[in-house]
Amino acid sequence: MNTRLTWICHGATAASRKAMFPLDEPLEDKAVEEAGRMIPPPRADRIATSPALRARQTADALRLEAQIDQALCDCDHGRWAGRSIAAIGTEEPENLIGWMSDPEAAPHGGESLVDLRTRIAGWMDGQAVLGGHVIAISHAAVIRAAIVHVLQAPLSSFWLSDVEPLSVIRMTSNGQRWSLRFQH
C-alpha cells in the first residue's frame, strides 16, 4: 500500500526565536500571516496535528481541518520547558551536553531522543498501513526524528537536520520502507 506523508512544521513562536525549550505558546502574528499565504497542500485522506497551540494555529492558518493526534506532540523537555538553551548551558552544562550526545539520555526528566524516534516511527508505520495521503502538522524535533527514521540513520544525526518554521517535508512509503521525497 502506498502512503504519502506531508510534514508541515508549525510557524515561529517567541520561544523558537529566543532558542528556548517550548511551552504551549502561540504563534507570532507574522507566522500566522506567513502560513496564511502558503499554498494549501493538495487534498489529503487524513490531516493530523499536534495538540500544541502553535501546531493547531498553523493548521487553522493553512485552512486545514486537522484532527488532534497526541503522537505528534513535541519532544517532552521535562523541567527544561520554558527555559533558554543558554541558561541550561550555563546552569547544567554536563546535562545539556549529555542530552545532545547520548540519544538515550533524558536529564531534564522528559523524553529521550530514542523515545521520541520510537514514538514517531510507530506513528508513521501506522500511517503506512492505512495508505493514502496524510498531512501532519508538528514540530521540528518530531520531523527530525522522522527523517532519522526514514534514513535509518544513527540518532547522532538528529542534530544535523535544520527544520525551519513552516517547512514542508515529504515522505513516501511503499508499505515496506519509507523514503524522503524531494519535489520541484
Side-chain angles (χ1 to χ4, degrees):
M1 178 159 322
N2 292 325
T3 305
R4 288 183 305 141
L5 173 55
T6 302
W7 289 102
I8 301 172
C9 186
H10 66 75
T13 66
S16 62
R17 297 254 187 242
K18 295 176 184 174
M20 297 176 71
F21 290 99
L23 293 169
D24 196 19
E25 69 275 349
L27 293 178
E28 293 179 331
D29 292 340
K30 183 178 177 183
V32 174
E33 293 169 14
E34 289 173 357
R37 288 192 303 269
M38 289 176 65
I39 296 171
R43 188 190 76 71
D45 299 296
R46 295 173 306 287
I47 304 172
T49 185
S50 160
L53 177 60
R54 58 197 180 276
R56 291 182 287 121
Q57 286 180 321
T58 300
D60 290 345
L62 290 166
R63 298 168 300 285
L64 297 173
E65 293 185 34
Q67 299 297 311
I68 293 174
D69 192 325
Q70 293 295 327
L72 296 177
C73 67
D74 202 354
C75 184
D76 177 0
H77 294 107
R79 63 185 173 78
W80 291 353
R83 299 181 63 208
S84 74
I85 293 170
I88 301 299
T90 299
E91 298 165 16
E92 305 179 46
E94 66 289 339
N95 285 340
L96 184 61
I97 290 168
W99 177 67
M100 294 184 76
S101 62
D102 179 1
E104 294 181 3
H108 44 57
E111 190 173 27
S112 72
L113 296 181
V114 168
D115 292 340
L116 175 62
R117 181 185 62 189
T118 299
R119 171 167 54 92
I120 298 310
W123 182 85
M124 290 173 65
D125 292 345
Q127 296 303 311
V129 170
L130 298 172
H133 180 209
V134 61
I135 296 171
I137 300 98
S138 195
H139 311 275
V142 168
I143 296 169
R144 286 197 302 265
I147 291 168
V148 168
H149 174 62
V150 168
L151 296 177
Q152 299 174 17
L155 263 171
S156 58
S157 64
F158 177 88
W159 302 107
L160 301 177
S161 296
D162 187 12
V163 180
E164 293 187 1
L166 300 176
S167 294
V168 177
I169 294 89
R170 293 175 177 86
M171 300 175 177
T172 58
S173 173
N174 64 4
Q176 297 177 344
R177 67 176 176 80
W178 283 96
S179 301
L180 285 176
R181 181 178 187 178
F182 298 94
Q183 292 179 278
H184 56 85

Short mmCIF file of all heavy atoms in Angstrom, two decimals, residues 24-92:
data_model
loop_
_atom_site.label_atom_id
_atom_site.label_comp_id
_atom_site.label_asym_id
_atom_site.label_seq_id
_atom_site.Cartn_x
_atom_site.Cartn_y
_atom_site.Cartn_z
N ASP A 24 3.53 25.76 25.77
CA ASP A 24 2.42 25.73 24.81
C ASP A 24 2.09 27.16 24.37
O ASP A 24 1.00 27.66 24.61
CB ASP A 24 1.19 25.03 25.41
CG ASP A 24 0.19 24.65 24.33
OD1 ASP A 24 0.57 24.59 23.14
OD2 ASP A 24 -0.98 24.41 24.68
N GLU A 25 3.06 27.79 23.73
CA GLU A 25 2.90 29.19 23.35
C GLU A 25 2.25 29.33 21.97
O GLU A 25 2.30 28.42 21.15
CB GLU A 25 4.26 29.91 23.35
CG GLU A 25 5.22 29.46 22.28
CD GLU A 25 6.04 28.22 22.65
OE1 GLU A 25 6.02 27.81 23.82
OE2 GLU A 25 6.67 27.67 21.74
N PRO A 26 1.66 30.50 21.72
CA PRO A 26 1.02 30.74 20.42
C PRO A 26 2.04 31.11 19.36
O PRO A 26 3.20 31.44 19.65
CB PRO A 26 0.10 31.93 20.71
CG PRO A 26 0.81 32.68 21.79
CD PRO A 26 1.48 31.62 22.65
N LEU A 27 1.59 31.10 18.12
CA LEU A 27 2.40 31.58 17.01
C LEU A 27 2.58 33.08 17.11
O LEU A 27 1.73 33.78 17.66
CB LEU A 27 1.70 31.30 15.67
CG LEU A 27 1.54 29.85 15.23
CD1 LEU A 27 0.79 29.80 13.91
CD2 LEU A 27 2.89 29.16 15.11
N GLU A 28 3.67 33.57 16.56
CA GLU A 28 3.83 35.01 16.40
C GLU A 28 2.84 35.47 15.33
O GLU A 28 2.49 34.69 14.43
CB GLU A 28 5.25 35.34 15.94
CG GLU A 28 6.31 35.03 16.97
CD GLU A 28 7.71 35.35 16.46
OE1 GLU A 28 7.94 35.29 15.24
OE2 GLU A 28 8.56 35.66 17.31
N ASP A 29 2.40 36.71 15.40
CA ASP A 29 1.46 37.24 14.40
C ASP A 29 2.00 37.08 12.98
O ASP A 29 1.28 36.71 12.06
CB ASP A 29 1.14 38.70 14.68
CG ASP A 29 0.33 38.89 15.95
OD1 ASP A 29 -0.30 37.91 16.41
OD2 ASP A 29 0.33 40.02 16.48
N LYS A 30 3.27 37.34 12.81
CA LYS A 30 3.89 37.23 11.49
C LYS A 30 3.82 35.79 10.97
O LYS A 30 3.63 35.57 9.78
CB LYS A 30 5.35 37.70 11.56
CG LYS A 30 6.06 37.69 10.23
CD LYS A 30 7.48 38.20 10.36
CE LYS A 30 8.20 38.10 9.03
NZ LYS A 30 9.60 38.51 9.13
N ALA A 31 3.96 34.82 11.85
CA ALA A 31 3.90 33.41 11.44
C ALA A 31 2.50 33.04 10.96
O ALA A 31 2.34 32.26 10.01
CB ALA A 31 4.32 32.51 12.59
N VAL A 32 1.48 33.59 11.62
CA VAL A 32 0.09 33.33 11.19
C VAL A 32 -0.10 33.89 9.77
O VAL A 32 -0.67 33.21 8.90
CB VAL A 32 -0.93 33.96 12.17
CG1 VAL A 32 -2.34 33.83 11.63
CG2 VAL A 32 -0.81 33.32 13.55
N GLU A 33 0.42 35.11 9.54
CA GLU A 33 0.30 35.72 8.21
C GLU A 33 1.06 34.90 7.16
O GLU A 33 0.55 34.66 6.06
CB GLU A 33 0.85 37.15 8.24
CG GLU A 33 0.04 38.10 9.08
CD GLU A 33 0.74 39.43 9.33
OE1 GLU A 33 1.74 39.72 8.62
OE2 GLU A 33 0.28 40.17 10.22
N GLU A 34 2.28 34.46 7.49
CA GLU A 34 3.08 33.67 6.55
C GLU A 34 2.39 32.35 6.20
O GLU A 34 2.35 31.94 5.05
CB GLU A 34 4.47 33.40 7.13
CG GLU A 34 5.35 34.62 7.18
CD GLU A 34 6.66 34.37 7.92
OE1 GLU A 34 6.88 33.26 8.44
OE2 GLU A 34 7.47 35.31 7.98
N ALA A 35 1.85 31.68 7.20
CA ALA A 35 1.15 30.42 6.96
C ALA A 35 -0.07 30.66 6.08
O ALA A 35 -0.37 29.86 5.18
CB ALA A 35 0.74 29.77 8.28
N GLY A 36 -0.78 31.76 6.31
CA GLY A 36 -1.96 32.07 5.52
C GLY A 36 -1.65 32.32 4.06
O GLY A 36 -2.51 32.15 3.19
N ARG A 37 -0.41 32.73 3.78
CA ARG A 37 -0.01 32.99 2.39
C ARG A 37 0.53 31.75 1.68
O ARG A 37 0.77 31.77 0.48
CB ARG A 37 1.05 34.09 2.34
CG ARG A 37 0.50 35.48 2.64
CD ARG A 37 1.49 36.57 2.30
NE ARG A 37 2.77 36.44 2.99
CZ ARG A 37 3.07 36.98 4.17
NH1 ARG A 37 2.16 37.72 4.79
NH2 ARG A 37 4.25 36.83 4.72
N MET A 38 0.76 30.67 2.43
CA MET A 38 1.29 29.45 1.81
C MET A 38 0.24 28.83 0.90
O MET A 38 -0.97 28.93 1.16
CB MET A 38 1.69 28.43 2.88
CG MET A 38 2.93 28.83 3.65
SD MET A 38 3.33 27.68 5.00
CE MET A 38 3.72 26.18 4.10
N ILE A 39 0.70 28.16 -0.12
CA ILE A 39 -0.21 27.41 -1.00
C ILE A 39 -0.69 26.20 -0.21
O ILE A 39 0.12 25.43 0.30
CB ILE A 39 0.51 26.97 -2.28
CG1 ILE A 39 0.94 28.20 -3.08
CG2 ILE A 39 -0.37 26.05 -3.11
CD1 ILE A 39 1.85 27.88 -4.25
N PRO A 40 -2.00 26.03 -0.10
CA PRO A 40 -2.51 24.89 0.66
C PRO A 40 -2.03 23.58 0.05
O PRO A 40 -1.93 23.45 -1.17
CB PRO A 40 -4.03 25.02 0.55
CG PRO A 40 -4.28 26.45 0.17
CD PRO A 40 -3.07 26.87 -0.62
N PRO A 41 -1.69 22.61 0.90
CA PRO A 41 -1.26 21.30 0.39
C PRO A 41 -2.39 20.64 -0.40
O PRO A 41 -3.57 20.98 -0.23
CB PRO A 41 -0.97 20.50 1.65
CG PRO A 41 -0.86 21.49 2.75
CD PRO A 41 -1.67 22.68 2.34
N PRO A 42 -2.03 19.70 -1.27
CA PRO A 42 -3.07 19.00 -2.03
C PRO A 42 -4.00 18.22 -1.10
O PRO A 42 -3.68 17.99 0.06
CB PRO A 42 -2.29 18.07 -2.94
CG PRO A 42 -0.95 17.95 -2.33
CD PRO A 42 -0.70 19.20 -1.54
N ARG A 43 -5.11 17.81 -1.63
CA ARG A 43 -6.10 17.04 -0.87
C ARG A 43 -5.42 15.89 -0.12
O ARG A 43 -4.49 15.28 -0.62
CB ARG A 43 -7.14 16.48 -1.84
CG ARG A 43 -8.32 15.84 -1.14
CD ARG A 43 -9.21 15.09 -2.11
NE ARG A 43 -8.66 13.81 -2.53
CZ ARG A 43 -8.55 12.73 -1.77
NH1 ARG A 43 -8.90 12.79 -0.50
NH2 ARG A 43 -8.06 11.61 -2.25
N ALA A 44 -5.90 15.62 1.05
CA ALA A 44 -5.34 14.53 1.86
C ALA A 44 -6.47 13.64 2.36
O ALA A 44 -7.61 14.09 2.52
CB ALA A 44 -4.57 15.09 3.04
N ASP A 45 -6.13 12.39 2.59
CA ASP A 45 -7.09 11.45 3.16
C ASP A 45 -7.24 11.66 4.66
O ASP A 45 -8.30 11.43 5.22
CB ASP A 45 -6.64 10.01 2.88
CG ASP A 45 -6.57 9.73 1.39
OD1 ASP A 45 -7.63 9.78 0.74
OD2 ASP A 45 -5.45 9.49 0.88
N ARG A 46 -6.14 12.12 5.29
CA ARG A 46 -6.14 12.38 6.72
C ARG A 46 -5.26 13.59 6.99
O ARG A 46 -4.20 13.74 6.39
CB ARG A 46 -5.60 11.17 7.50
CG ARG A 46 -6.46 9.94 7.39
CD ARG A 46 -5.81 8.70 8.03
NE ARG A 46 -4.46 8.37 7.59
CZ ARG A 46 -4.15 7.83 6.41
NH1 ARG A 46 -5.10 7.59 5.52
NH2 ARG A 46 -2.89 7.54 6.09
N ILE A 47 -5.69 14.42 7.92
CA ILE A 47 -4.89 15.57 8.35
C ILE A 47 -4.83 15.51 9.87
O ILE A 47 -5.86 15.48 10.54
CB ILE A 47 -5.50 16.90 7.88
CG1 ILE A 47 -5.67 16.90 6.36
CG2 ILE A 47 -4.62 18.07 8.34
CD1 ILE A 47 -6.44 18.09 5.83
N ALA A 48 -3.61 15.49 10.39
CA ALA A 48 -3.42 15.36 11.83
C ALA A 48 -2.52 16.50 12.31
O ALA A 48 -1.66 16.98 11.58
CB ALA A 48 -2.78 14.02 12.16
N THR A 49 -2.74 16.90 13.55
CA THR A 49 -1.91 17.94 14.15
C THR A 49 -1.54 17.58 15.57
O THR A 49 -2.28 16.87 16.26
CB THR A 49 -2.61 19.32 14.12
OG1 THR A 49 -1.71 20.31 14.62
CG2 THR A 49 -3.87 19.33 14.96
N SER A 50 -0.40 18.08 15.96
CA SER A 50 -0.01 18.01 17.37
C SER A 50 -1.06 18.75 18.18
O SER A 50 -1.69 19.69 17.68
CB SER A 50 1.35 18.69 17.53
OG SER A 50 1.58 19.07 18.87
N PRO A 51 -1.25 18.38 19.44
CA PRO A 51 -2.21 19.12 20.27
C PRO A 51 -1.71 20.50 20.68
O PRO A 51 -2.49 21.31 21.19
CB PRO A 51 -2.37 18.22 21.50
CG PRO A 51 -1.17 17.35 21.52
CD PRO A 51 -0.71 17.20 20.11
N ALA A 52 -0.45 20.82 20.44
CA ALA A 52 0.10 22.11 20.87
C ALA A 52 -0.59 23.26 20.15
O ALA A 52 -0.90 23.18 18.96
CB ALA A 52 1.61 22.15 20.59
N LEU A 53 -0.80 24.34 20.87
CA LEU A 53 -1.46 25.53 20.32
C LEU A 53 -0.79 26.00 19.03
O LEU A 53 -1.46 26.30 18.05
CB LEU A 53 -1.48 26.65 21.36
CG LEU A 53 -2.06 28.00 20.92
CD1 LEU A 53 -3.53 27.83 20.50
CD2 LEU A 53 -1.92 29.02 22.04
N ARG A 54 0.53 26.06 19.01
CA ARG A 54 1.25 26.55 17.82
C ARG A 54 1.01 25.68 16.59
O ARG A 54 0.94 26.19 15.48
CB ARG A 54 2.75 26.69 18.12
CG ARG A 54 3.42 25.42 18.59
CD ARG A 54 4.76 25.76 19.25
NE ARG A 54 5.48 24.60 19.72
CZ ARG A 54 5.29 24.01 20.89
NH1 ARG A 54 4.36 24.46 21.72
NH2 ARG A 54 6.02 22.96 21.24
N ALA A 55 0.84 24.38 16.78
CA ALA A 55 0.55 23.48 15.65
C ALA A 55 -0.90 23.65 15.21
O ALA A 55 -1.18 23.72 14.01
CB ALA A 55 0.84 22.04 16.05
N ARG A 56 -1.82 23.75 16.16
CA ARG A 56 -3.24 23.92 15.81
C ARG A 56 -3.46 25.26 15.10
O ARG A 56 -4.22 25.34 14.14
CB ARG A 56 -4.12 23.82 17.06
CG ARG A 56 -4.17 22.40 17.62
CD ARG A 56 -5.08 22.26 18.84
NE ARG A 56 -4.47 22.88 20.00
CZ ARG A 56 -4.98 23.87 20.73
NH1 ARG A 56 -6.17 24.37 20.43
NH2 ARG A 56 -4.35 24.35 21.77
N GLN A 57 -2.77 26.31 15.55
CA GLN A 57 -2.89 27.61 14.90
C GLN A 57 -2.32 27.56 13.48
O GLN A 57 -2.84 28.19 12.58
CB GLN A 57 -2.17 28.69 15.71
CG GLN A 57 -2.91 29.09 16.95
CD GLN A 57 -2.16 30.16 17.73
OE1 GLN A 57 -0.92 30.13 17.83
NE2 GLN A 57 -2.91 31.11 18.27
N THR A 58 -1.25 26.80 13.28
CA THR A 58 -0.69 26.65 11.94
C THR A 58 -1.69 25.95 11.04
O THR A 58 -1.92 26.38 9.90
CB THR A 58 0.65 25.87 11.99
OG1 THR A 58 1.58 26.61 12.80
CG2 THR A 58 1.22 25.66 10.60
N ALA A 59 -2.31 24.89 11.52
CA ALA A 59 -3.33 24.18 10.72
C ALA A 59 -4.47 25.13 10.36
O ALA A 59 -4.92 25.16 9.21
CB ALA A 59 -3.85 22.97 11.49
N ASP A 60 -4.92 25.91 11.33
CA ASP A 60 -6.00 26.87 11.06
C ASP A 60 -5.59 27.90 10.02
O ASP A 60 -6.37 28.22 9.11
CB ASP A 60 -6.42 27.58 12.35
CG ASP A 60 -7.14 26.67 13.34
OD1 ASP A 60 -7.58 25.57 12.94
OD2 ASP A 60 -7.25 27.06 14.52
N ALA A 61 -4.37 28.42 10.14
CA ALA A 61 -3.90 29.44 9.19
C ALA A 61 -3.78 28.86 7.78
O ALA A 61 -3.97 29.57 6.79
CB ALA A 61 -2.57 30.01 9.64
N LEU A 62 -3.49 27.56 7.69
CA LEU A 62 -3.40 26.88 6.40
C LEU A 62 -4.78 26.45 5.87
O LEU A 62 -4.86 25.84 4.82
CB LEU A 62 -2.48 25.66 6.50
CG LEU A 62 -1.00 25.94 6.69
CD1 LEU A 62 -0.26 24.69 7.11
CD2 LEU A 62 -0.42 26.52 5.41
N ARG A 63 -5.80 26.73 6.67
CA ARG A 63 -7.18 26.34 6.33
C ARG A 63 -7.34 24.82 6.20
O ARG A 63 -7.99 24.31 5.30
CB ARG A 63 -7.64 27.05 5.05
CG ARG A 63 -7.67 28.57 5.19
CD ARG A 63 -7.84 29.33 3.91
NE ARG A 63 -6.81 29.13 2.89
CZ ARG A 63 -5.58 29.65 2.92
NH1 ARG A 63 -5.22 30.40 3.93
NH2 ARG A 63 -4.72 29.43 1.94
N LEU A 64 -6.69 24.11 7.14
CA LEU A 64 -6.76 22.65 7.17
C LEU A 64 -7.58 22.21 8.37
O LEU A 64 -7.37 22.68 9.48
CB LEU A 64 -5.35 22.04 7.27
CG LEU A 64 -4.42 22.32 6.10
CD1 LEU A 64 -3.02 21.80 6.43
CD2 LEU A 64 -4.95 21.67 4.83
N GLU A 65 -8.53 21.33 8.14
CA GLU A 65 -9.33 20.77 9.23
C GLU A 65 -8.62 19.53 9.74
O GLU A 65 -8.79 18.44 9.21
CB GLU A 65 -10.73 20.44 8.73
CG GLU A 65 -11.53 21.68 8.38
CD GLU A 65 -12.96 21.34 8.00
OE1 GLU A 65 -13.53 20.38 8.57
OE2 GLU A 65 -13.49 22.05 7.14
N ALA A 66 -7.80 19.73 10.77
CA ALA A 66 -6.95 18.67 11.28
C ALA A 66 -7.51 18.07 12.56
O ALA A 66 -8.11 18.76 13.38
CB ALA A 66 -5.55 19.22 11.55
N GLN A 67 -7.28 16.78 12.71
CA GLN A 67 -7.62 16.06 13.93
C GLN A 67 -6.41 16.06 14.85
O GLN A 67 -5.28 15.83 14.40
CB GLN A 67 -8.03 14.62 13.61
CG GLN A 67 -9.25 14.51 12.71
CD GLN A 67 -10.48 15.11 13.37
OE1 GLN A 67 -10.79 14.81 14.51
NE2 GLN A 67 -11.17 15.96 12.64
N ILE A 68 -6.61 16.30 16.11
CA ILE A 68 -5.51 16.28 17.08
C ILE A 68 -5.05 14.85 17.28
O ILE A 68 -5.86 13.95 17.47
CB ILE A 68 -5.95 16.91 18.41
CG1 ILE A 68 -6.19 18.42 18.20
CG2 ILE A 68 -4.90 16.68 19.50
CD1 ILE A 68 -6.77 19.12 19.40
N ASP A 69 -3.74 14.66 17.22
CA ASP A 69 -3.14 13.34 17.42
C ASP A 69 -2.03 13.49 18.46
O ASP A 69 -1.02 14.16 18.20
CB ASP A 69 -2.59 12.80 16.10
CG ASP A 69 -2.22 11.34 16.18
OD1 ASP A 69 -1.73 10.90 17.25
OD2 ASP A 69 -2.40 10.63 15.17
N GLN A 70 -2.20 12.89 19.62
CA GLN A 70 -1.24 13.00 20.71
C GLN A 70 0.15 12.49 20.32
O GLN A 70 1.16 12.96 20.85
CB GLN A 70 -1.74 12.23 21.94
CG GLN A 70 -2.97 12.81 22.58
CD GLN A 70 -2.74 14.18 23.19
OE1 GLN A 70 -1.66 14.50 23.68
NE2 GLN A 70 -3.76 15.02 23.13
N ALA A 71 0.22 11.56 19.39
CA ALA A 71 1.51 11.01 18.96
C ALA A 71 2.38 12.06 18.29
O ALA A 71 3.60 11.90 18.21
CB ALA A 71 1.30 9.82 18.03
N LEU A 72 1.79 13.15 17.81
CA LEU A 72 2.54 14.19 17.11
C LEU A 72 3.02 15.30 18.03
O LEU A 72 3.58 16.29 17.57
CB LEU A 72 1.68 14.77 15.98
CG LEU A 72 1.31 13.79 14.87
CD1 LEU A 72 0.40 14.46 13.85
CD2 LEU A 72 2.55 13.20 14.22
N CYS A 73 2.83 15.15 19.36
CA CYS A 73 3.27 16.21 20.27
C CYS A 73 4.79 16.35 20.23
O CYS A 73 5.51 15.43 19.84
CB CYS A 73 2.76 15.98 21.68
SG CYS A 73 3.43 14.56 22.52
N ASP A 74 5.24 17.51 20.62
CA ASP A 74 6.67 17.82 20.61
C ASP A 74 7.39 16.92 21.61
O ASP A 74 6.77 16.31 22.48
CB ASP A 74 6.86 19.30 21.00
CG ASP A 74 8.19 19.88 20.53
OD1 ASP A 74 9.04 19.13 20.00
OD2 ASP A 74 8.37 21.10 20.69
N CYS A 75 8.70 16.88 21.47
CA CYS A 75 9.52 16.16 22.45
C CYS A 75 9.23 16.74 23.84
O CYS A 75 9.13 17.96 24.01
CB CYS A 75 11.00 16.34 22.08
SG CYS A 75 12.12 15.42 23.14
N ASP A 76 9.08 15.87 24.80
CA ASP A 76 8.84 16.31 26.18
C ASP A 76 10.19 16.73 26.77
O ASP A 76 11.06 15.89 27.00
CB ASP A 76 8.21 15.17 26.98
CG ASP A 76 7.99 15.51 28.44
OD1 ASP A 76 8.33 16.64 28.88
OD2 ASP A 76 7.48 14.64 29.16
N HIS A 77 10.35 18.03 27.01
CA HIS A 77 11.60 18.55 27.54
C HIS A 77 11.60 18.65 29.06
O HIS A 77 12.49 19.28 29.65
CB HIS A 77 11.90 19.92 26.91
CG HIS A 77 12.16 19.83 25.45
ND1 HIS A 77 11.26 20.27 24.51
CD2 HIS A 77 13.19 19.32 24.75
CE1 HIS A 77 11.73 20.04 23.30
NE2 HIS A 77 12.91 19.46 23.42
N GLY A 78 10.61 18.04 29.68
CA GLY A 78 10.59 17.97 31.14
C GLY A 78 10.75 19.31 31.81
O GLY A 78 10.15 20.31 31.43
N ARG A 79 11.62 19.35 32.80
CA ARG A 79 11.81 20.57 33.60
C ARG A 79 12.53 21.68 32.85
O ARG A 79 12.62 22.81 33.34
CB ARG A 79 12.54 20.25 34.90
CG ARG A 79 13.92 19.71 34.73
CD ARG A 79 14.53 19.30 36.10
NE ARG A 79 15.80 18.64 35.91
CZ ARG A 79 16.94 19.26 35.65
NH1 ARG A 79 16.98 20.57 35.60
NH2 ARG A 79 18.06 18.58 35.47
N TRP A 80 13.01 21.41 31.63
CA TRP A 80 13.65 22.46 30.83
C TRP A 80 12.64 23.29 30.05
O TRP A 80 12.99 24.33 29.50
CB TRP A 80 14.67 21.86 29.86
CG TRP A 80 15.90 21.29 30.52
CD1 TRP A 80 16.24 21.37 31.84
CD2 TRP A 80 16.93 20.54 29.88
NE1 TRP A 80 17.43 20.71 32.06
CE2 TRP A 80 17.88 20.20 30.87
CE3 TRP A 80 17.15 20.13 28.57
CZ2 TRP A 80 19.02 19.47 30.58
CZ3 TRP A 80 18.30 19.41 28.30
CH2 TRP A 80 19.22 19.08 29.29
N ALA A 81 11.40 22.84 29.98
CA ALA A 81 10.37 23.56 29.22
C ALA A 81 10.26 25.01 29.72
O ALA A 81 10.21 25.26 30.93
CB ALA A 81 9.02 22.87 29.32
N GLY A 82 10.27 25.94 28.75
CA GLY A 82 10.15 27.35 29.07
C GLY A 82 11.46 28.03 29.41
O GLY A 82 11.50 29.23 29.63
N ARG A 83 12.55 27.27 29.42
CA ARG A 83 13.86 27.84 29.75
C ARG A 83 14.72 27.94 28.49
O ARG A 83 14.57 27.18 27.56
CB ARG A 83 14.56 26.97 30.80
CG ARG A 83 13.71 26.93 32.10
CD ARG A 83 14.35 26.12 33.18
NE ARG A 83 15.62 26.73 33.58
CZ ARG A 83 16.63 26.00 34.06
NH1 ARG A 83 16.51 24.70 34.22
NH2 ARG A 83 17.76 26.59 34.40
N SER A 84 15.66 28.86 28.49
CA SER A 84 16.52 29.04 27.31
C SER A 84 17.63 27.99 27.31
O SER A 84 18.09 27.53 28.36
CB SER A 84 17.11 30.44 27.29
OG SER A 84 18.13 30.56 28.26
N ILE A 85 18.06 27.66 26.11
CA ILE A 85 19.17 26.72 25.96
C ILE A 85 20.43 27.33 26.58
O ILE A 85 21.21 26.63 27.22
CB ILE A 85 19.36 26.37 24.47
CG1 ILE A 85 18.15 25.59 23.98
CG2 ILE A 85 20.65 25.59 24.25
CD1 ILE A 85 18.08 25.37 22.50
N ALA A 86 20.60 28.65 26.44
CA ALA A 86 21.77 29.32 27.02
C ALA A 86 21.77 29.16 28.54
O ALA A 86 22.82 28.90 29.14
CB ALA A 86 21.78 30.78 26.62
N ALA A 87 20.62 29.32 29.17
CA ALA A 87 20.55 29.19 30.63
C ALA A 87 20.86 27.76 31.06
O ALA A 87 21.60 27.56 32.04
CB ALA A 87 19.16 29.60 31.14
N ILE A 88 20.33 26.79 30.34
CA ILE A 88 20.62 25.39 30.67
C ILE A 88 22.11 25.12 30.49
O ILE A 88 22.74 24.45 31.31
CB ILE A 88 19.79 24.42 29.77
CG1 ILE A 88 18.29 24.66 29.96
CG2 ILE A 88 20.16 22.97 30.07
CD1 ILE A 88 17.76 24.44 31.33
N GLY A 89 22.70 25.68 29.42
CA GLY A 89 24.13 25.50 29.17
C GLY A 89 25.00 26.08 30.27
O GLY A 89 26.08 25.58 30.56
N THR A 90 24.53 27.15 30.88
CA THR A 90 25.26 27.78 31.98
C THR A 90 25.05 27.04 33.29
O THR A 90 26.00 26.79 34.03
CB THR A 90 24.81 29.25 32.14
OG1 THR A 90 25.10 29.94 30.93
CG2 THR A 90 25.52 29.93 33.31
N GLU A 91 23.80 26.67 33.57
CA GLU A 91 23.46 26.06 34.85
C GLU A 91 23.71 24.55 34.91
O GLU A 91 24.04 24.02 35.97
CB GLU A 91 21.99 26.33 35.17
CG GLU A 91 21.67 27.80 35.31
CD GLU A 91 20.18 28.09 35.27
OE1 GLU A 91 19.37 27.15 35.43
OE2 GLU A 91 19.84 29.26 35.07
N GLU A 92 23.54 23.89 33.78
CA GLU A 92 23.68 22.43 33.74
C GLU A 92 24.44 21.99 32.49
O GLU A 92 23.94 21.22 31.69
CB GLU A 92 22.31 21.76 33.69
CG GLU A 92 21.34 22.13 34.78
CD GLU A 92 20.01 21.42 34.60
OE1 GLU A 92 19.99 20.21 34.33
OE2 GLU A 92 18.98 22.10 34.72
#
